[in-house]
Amino acid sequence: CDETDEPDQDGVDANCDGIDGDLARAIFVTEFGDDSAEGGRTTPMRTIEGAVLKASVDMNRDTVLVGPGVYDGPLRLVAGVHIYGGYDFNWARDTTIKPTIRGGNPVVIAEGLTELTTLDGFAIESDRLAEMPSQNNVVVYVRDSTGLLLLRLRIQGGDGGDGVDGTNGSDGDIGEAGQNGQNGCETGNDLFC
């Protein structure tokens, strides 16, 4: 067995600890978990955001492993915290399984990430329609981040907000005078008009 094991596309348990990834560094998340839980394999947390917060203050655990389901956004990434989807209910990794992060505008936010930070194996979906007129519908927002690694994501954006009515145009110029009309017809004699 290897000493290290980063979650990979093939789902290989390289360090022989029972999962693809490092069990000692992992915080587990399922849609049936509880954010007051410890975040272990049998005591998973409920939200990705809660697990990221826990990982950001736990010096020993920097990896969040996410089971199938739909999770609420927005999700703000934290430098040095790695988030991996693609796990089934037995914690075997299959990257065709893509847990969904949905909601928020933007749904995923990455700002100022200068330390390696991974987001791997998710479907990310924005709301179907932006809430405000003329509002953008942003799915993944990245700014000032040199350490971000995005892998095996399916990103789907919704529609932007409806446009607002434009202002009235200015009055047109005065038109030219019309031409003289033709002679009228006698009443009842329409055949000769």
Side-chain angles (χ1 to χ4, degrees):
C1 294
D2 296 335
E3 288 184 23
T4 61
D5 183 14
E6 298 299 328
D8 56 51
Q9 180 174 329
D10 299 323
V12 175
D13 178 14
N15 65 351
C16 304
D17 65 357
I19 63 164
D20 179 21
D22 189 335
L23 186 62
R25 291 175 40 211
I27 297 173
F28 293 83
V29 177
T30 70
E31 63 180 345
F32 307 109
D34 183 346
D35 272 0
S36 64
E38 184 264 332
R41 189 173 183 170
T42 59
T43 57
M45 297 182 70
R46 165 66 183 97
T47 67
I48 300 171
E49 183 178 31
V52 167
L53 180 62
K54 185 177 286 246
S56 71
V57 297
D58 188 329
M59 300 303 292
N60 297 314
R61 300 193 299 172
D62 64 353
T63 305
V64 175
L65 306 181
V66 182
V70 178
Y71 299 89
D72 292 334
L75 172 62
R76 182 173 290 279
L77 303 182
V78 173
V81 176
H82 309 284
I83 309 168
Y84 295 93
Y87 286 87
D88 65 18
F89 290 112
N90 295 313
W91 299 109
R93 189 141 199 251
D94 176 357
T95 55
T96 63
I97 299 171
K98 294 199 181 305
T100 300
I101 305 170
R102 180 181 296 148
N105 189 3
V107 183
V108 174
I109 303 159
E111 283 189 280
L113 302 178
T114 56
E115 186 178 341
L116 182 62
T117 306
T118 307
L119 182 64
D120 179 1
F122 288 90
I124 305 171
E125 300 176 359
S126 71
D127 295 324
R128 292 292 174 229
L129 179 65
E131 296 174 7
M132 304 287 292
S134 299
Q135 180 183 26
N136 292 333
N137 203 335
V138 179
V139 184
V140 178
Y141 176 79
V142 179
R143 180 177 178 202
D144 298 329
S145 295
T146 57
L148 181 61
L149 185 59
L150 302 174
L151 299 169
R152 292 172 280 280
L153 302 176
R154 187 184 79 230
I155 299 172
Q156 181 176 345
D159 296 333
D162 292 336
V164 294
D165 293 339
T167 57
N168 291 334
S170 56
D171 292 339
D173 294 334
I174 296 174
E176 295 180 16
Q179 296 182 357
N180 292 334
Q182 296 180 349
N183 293 333
C185 296
E186 282 187 36
T187 304
N189 197 3
D190 293 336
L191 293 175
F192 300 102
C193 287

